[in-house]
Every structure is written in C-alpha cells, then in structure tokens.
Amino acid sequence: MTRSQQPDEWKQQLLAAADDFDVKDQVLQKIKEQKMRSEGKQVKKRLGLLVAAILVFGGTSAYAAMKVYELKNEKGEAVVKVQQTATPLEKSSPESIKTFEDARNSLQPGEGAAVYIPGPHNPKKRVSFTYIPVEHLTTPPLQKEVGSFYEVPAEVAGGYKFVKGHVEYPFDYSQPELFAEMHKEAEKDNKQIVMRKVSPKPTINRVFTLYKGSEGAETDGDVYIAITNLEGVKWIEQQAGEDAIVEKVKVQKYEGMYVAKKLLDGKEQKEVQVYQEDKNRLIEVGANNPALTKEELLAIAENLK
C-alpha cells in the first residue's frame, strides 16, 4: 500500500484485509482476505499475506466450506489451507474505513500504530495495527534490509524487472494493558478513534516486491512476489469463492497451489503459492496483469531462491 494509492482501491483493500490472530496458537487466518493488490492494486495480501493494515472489526464469520485444499508439511500437518465457500465477505462501514485511512496517512515510512475505533461495527473492542513500510526502488537497499531471509531478484523469468519492494514486520497483537488504556480513553472522552504509535517487532513478516514487463499493462507492475515468514505460525487459512479455480501444482521440489479467483472489484486474481518447509516460508507469485498465464507464474516461482 502506498500513499499514492487511489481512495477506492484503499477502501477495497481495507474491506478485504480483516486478518484475525489467535495469539495463543499463532494461527493466521486469512478467511476474509481476497488479496486486493497491495502496491497499487494487490493485497495484501493483502495480503498482506500479512498486509500493512490489519483490520479486525468484528472478527471473522462462521461459514461452511464447500471444499478445502491444503499444503502440508512432512508430518502431514496442514500449513496452508484454501477453503472454497459461497459466503460473501462482510463489509466495514465507510466511516470506519475513512477514519482508519486518515490515521494511517498521519504516519511516516517506518512508523507503526495501534488504532482503536469504537462503535457498533467493533463489538469486541478490537484494536487494529497498521505500519507504513519503507519502500525501496532498487534491489540493493531492499536486499540489505532483507538479509539472508530471501534473495531479491532484479529480474524474474519472462523479463519482468524490479519496480519496488518493501519489508513488513509483525506487532505484538496481545497487549491487554495498552488496549484497556485505549478503551478507557475512548469512553471517557467520547472519541471516535484512539491511536498510539507503537513499534513492530524486528522479525521479518513478509517481503513484498513488484515487477514490470517492457510492455506491461499495469502502471505499478505486472507481477508481484510475496515471501512470508511462517516461523511461529501453525497454519494459514484463506478463502476463495465458489467459482474459484484451485489446482495442485509442483514448483521446484515442493507441492504448491494455483488459485484463480474474483476480487471485490470484479477483477480476476491469479496466484501460485508454494510452501518451502526447509526454509519455513510461503512464496506467493501473482499476476497484476490479467494477461499473465498460470504457466508464466509457475516459471517465475520455479527460479526464486
């Protein structure tokens, strides 16, 4: 997400990104996240997988999965789950979205904040977190920040060249004393929003990069690559609509999934997901440009290190 992002895109991203964290079991749920394109068009995931803004207004809803697709580790435990369901996504109120957006826009690159917006849309009084990443326009400074976690390519298969990228970091999502203080302030002064600047943890959550072809159709980039650190996470859940295409694929020596689904704006998202157990990370390669094919995405994922 960037400050240049169009308001409608940011609104759709916030509607899509409602990741819940079960802190006790470290289960990352992406039930509601339809991965609106994060850097201009994709989320985040997004995803995020872990998107820069985490909205938890009201939490996730119960739903009946029609079919579940899984990527498993060597123990046979599911690490990534894609659940097809006909249940529509819930929407947050436009007022809450605008309030959150204004709070986010007050931050500088590298700053994070805890945000509490009281009201009927947030019956559980959940506190959200947001972070403005430091964006890099060349690979050397990004590689320096990433370190040995991931080798950032300047160019990927198909001739797509690096446009920009950033690193996302996790927060401490369980801070009862801070949350109680924010709740008390909102109630005492009848505030519509309470915000506290907080620093994320130094551990990398996700590395997000964009790549563009010489004649790409997308302004920001045609291909996005997200590398997510799964350390301490038991599994990831994602939701796909009943009309989505989910297929098992083989990438490098790993089992992966190809997922094609409709986003909130009606556009199609194509993505290859690969769980690398030996590196404890999830690779996601997706198309911003609808002209890209499954085979092209697989070729890109095949050569990532």
Side-chain angles (χ1 to χ4, degrees), residues 56 58 116-119 122-128 179 183 187:
V56 286
Y116 172 55
I117 304 177
N122 189 10
K124 295 185 179 180
K125 298 184 177 182
R126 301 202 180 198
V127 174
S128 307
F179 298 165
H183 295 159
E187 294 171 4

Side-chain angles (χ1 to χ4, degrees), residues 39 163 210-213 217-224 287-289:
E39 283 294 335
V163 175
L210 273 166
Y211 294 82
K212 184 174 176 61
E218 292 291 333
T219 302
D220 283 322
D222 298 295
V223 177
Y224 64 86
N288 284 354
N289 186 341

Side-chain angles (χ1 to χ4, degrees), residues 179-241:
F179 298 165
E181 177 188 317
M182 296 174 73
H183 295 159
K184 184 177 180 180
E185 180 177 334
E187 294 171 4
K188 177 182 177 182
D189 301 328
N190 196 27
K191 290 187 176 181
Q192 294 183 340
I193 181 173
V194 176
M195 179 176 173
R196 294 283 190 278
K197 285 189 177 181
V198 294
S199 298
K201 297 179 179 180
T203 305
I204 291 176
N205 231 347
R206 186 177 78 152
V207 180
F208 184 89
T209 52
L210 273 166
Y211 294 82
K212 184 174 176 61
S214 58
E215 298 180 358
E218 292 291 333
T219 302
D220 283 322
D222 298 295
V223 177
Y224 64 86
I225 300 174
I227 311 294
T228 302
N229 184 6
L230 295 186
E231 182 179 355
V233 177
K234 288 181 66 177
W235 72 76
I236 297 170
E237 292 181 355
Q238 303 175 359
Q239 179 180 335

Side-chain angles (χ1 to χ4, degrees), residues 2-57:
T2 67
R3 294 179 185 275
S4 62
Q5 192 170 13
Q6 294 300 313
D8 187 58
E9 294 169 351
W10 175 231
K11 175 182 176 181
Q12 293 182 61
Q13 178 172 319
L14 287 177
L15 292 176
D19 294 337
D20 273 354
F21 290 82
D22 184 333
V23 178
K24 178 180 179 182
D25 293 325
Q26 287 296 289
V27 175
L28 171 59
Q29 297 178 323
K30 294 180 62 188
I31 295 173
K32 288 187 182 177
E33 191 225 305
Q34 290 281 13
K35 287 188 187 291
M36 298 304 298
R37 281 164 270 196
S38 161
E39 283 294 335
K41 292 285 182 71
Q42 187 272 335
V43 142
K44 221 290 324 107
K45 75 283 319 278
R46 192 33 329 94
L47 149 32
L49 188 124
L50 287 176
V51 294
I54 299 172
L55 279 186
V56 286
F57 296 147

Side-chain angles (χ1 to χ4, degrees), residues 27-288:
V27 175
L28 171 59
Q29 297 178 323
K30 294 180 62 188
I31 295 173
K32 288 187 182 177
E33 191 225 305
Q34 290 281 13
K35 287 188 187 291
M36 298 304 298
R37 281 164 270 196
S38 161
E39 283 294 335
K41 292 285 182 71
Q42 187 272 335
V43 142
K44 221 290 324 107
K45 75 283 319 278
R46 192 33 329 94
L47 149 32
L49 188 124
L50 287 176
V51 294
I54 299 172
L55 279 186
V56 286
F57 296 147
T60 56
S61 302
Y63 62 92
M66 297 184 298
K67 194 168 184 179
V68 180
Y69 300 84
E70 299 176 335
L71 295 181
K72 299 181 179 181
N73 58 24
E74 291 182 351
K75 298 179 181 178
E77 301 166 333
V79 179
V80 179
K81 303 177 183 180
V82 174
Q83 309 200 38
Q84 276 190 297
T85 173
T87 303
L89 299 179
E90 289 184 357
K91 294 185 178 182
S92 298
S93 69
E95 294 79 11
S96 298
I97 294 169
K98 178 64 166 58
T99 300
F100 191 90
E101 181 181 1
D102 290 343
R104 176 179 167 77
N105 287 339
S106 70
L107 299 174
Q108 298 299 315
E111 290 185 336
V115 181
Y116 172 55
I117 304 177
H121 61 275
N122 189 10
K124 295 185 179 180
K125 298 184 177 182
R126 301 202 180 198
V127 174
S128 307
F129 291 83
T130 187
Y131 174 73
I132 301 292
V134 176
E135 195 168 272
H136 302 287
L137 302 181
T138 59
T139 57
L142 178 60
Q143 187 65 68
K144 183 178 180 180
E145 185 176 358
V146 170
S148 60
F149 174 69
Y150 170 58
E151 185 175 323
V152 183
E155 183 175 333
V156 296
Y160 295 93
K161 294 180 173 56
F162 180 87
V163 175
K164 55 187 174 182
H166 65 257
V167 181
E168 296 168 7
Y169 298 92
F171 289 91
D172 179 357
Y173 299 104
S174 178
Q175 301 185 54
E177 293 184 1
L178 172 64
F179 298 165
E181 177 188 317
M182 296 174 73
H183 295 159
K184 184 177 180 180
E185 180 177 334
E187 294 171 4
K188 177 182 177 182
D189 301 328
N190 196 27
K191 290 187 176 181
Q192 294 183 340
I193 181 173
V194 176
M195 179 176 173
R196 294 283 190 278
K197 285 189 177 181
V198 294
S199 298
K201 297 179 179 180
T203 305
I204 291 176
N205 231 347
R206 186 177 78 152
V207 180
F208 184 89
T209 52
L210 273 166
Y211 294 82
K212 184 174 176 61
S214 58
E215 298 180 358
E218 292 291 333
T219 302
D220 283 322
D222 298 295
V223 177
Y224 64 86
I225 300 174
I227 311 294
T228 302
N229 184 6
L230 295 186
E231 182 179 355
V233 177
K234 288 181 66 177
W235 72 76
I236 297 170
E237 292 181 355
Q238 303 175 359
Q239 179 180 335
E242 57 184 333
D243 59 345
I245 298 172
V246 185
E247 301 173 351
K248 287 292 185 71
V249 293
K250 199 75 174 179
V251 180
Q252 299 176 16
K253 62 180 180 179
Y254 310 100
E255 182 181 54
M257 281 189 286
Y258 169 72
V259 182
K261 60 188 178 184
K262 294 291 184 181
L263 301 176
L264 291 176
D265 59 2
K267 295 181 180 179
E268 183 182 32
Q269 180 198 45
K270 304 171 186 175
E271 187 174 82
V272 169
Q273 303 178 7
V274 183
Y275 167 57
Q276 297 179 313
E277 182 167 14
D278 53 339
K279 298 179 180 179
N280 203 16
R281 66 188 191 184
L282 177 70
I283 291 178
E284 296 169 283
V285 180
N288 284 354

